[in-house]
Amino acid sequence: MDRPRTALVATTLDCPDPRALAAFYAHLLGWEVRESSPDWVRLAPPGAERGLSFQAEPHHVRPVWPAREGEQQMQLHLEVEVDDLDDAGAHAEAGGAVRASSQPQEGVRVYLDPAGHPFCLFLPGW
């Protein structure tokens, strides 16, 4: 049997305020809003349709990173390649990110977005 057609079209992050979190990632990535309502926002790079979505979740619990037993753990994290960790980190912080207290390796910096989702900025080759 042939494999049915499939296409991953977005990753969706649950959060208490989709418009606010989408504004943060639009700032971070330079992406554009393609669809917006109070409960749902979709971003994509200029000239593209596939990207990142944000969905309202009124019971959202901020994940804890690094994980601790009995705490809400992250379910996924985003990886963002950058040319300069210091410049990209300052840009992320200007948009509302917080640098995580634990940094596991050189060439990678872990930040928390305004809803608490961890994401990594990393240099090419890491």
Side-chain angles (χ1 to χ4, degrees):
M1 186 167 132
D2 290 336
R3 185 184 66 78
R5 187 189 89 72
T6 59
L8 180 64
V9 297
T11 296
T12 301
L13 298 177
D14 290 349
C15 57
D17 185 346
R19 287 182 172 161
L21 194 57
F24 167 77
Y25 280 100
H27 166 84
L28 181 70
L29 301 170
W31 289 8
E32 302 167 345
V33 174
R34 295 283 194 253
E35 193 177 333
S36 180
S37 72
D39 294 333
W40 178 268
V41 179
R42 184 171 57 89
L43 298 179
E49 287 302 315
R50 296 179 179 165
L52 191 57
S53 299
F54 308 88
Q55 177 175 281
E57 174 48 67
H59 303 292
H60 173 75
V61 176
R62 294 174 70 90
V64 173
W65 192 89
R68 292 191 301 262
E69 189 173 335
E71 300 283 342
Q72 177 64 47
Q73 296 180 18
M74 73 172 176
Q75 300 294 309
L76 65 88
H77 67 277
L78 302 176
E79 303 276 348
V80 180
E81 186 178 71
V82 300
D83 292 329
D84 184 296
L85 286 174
D86 292 332
D87 287 349
H91 180 71
E93 289 175 357
V98 174
R99 187 172 170 169
S101 59
S102 178
Q103 297 296 318
Q105 61 200 66
E106 284 185 51
V108 178
R109 294 223 181 116
V110 181
Y111 287 84
L112 307 175
D113 72 21
H117 302 105
F119 66 95
C120 295
L121 302 179
F122 69 95
L123 295 172
W126 282 89

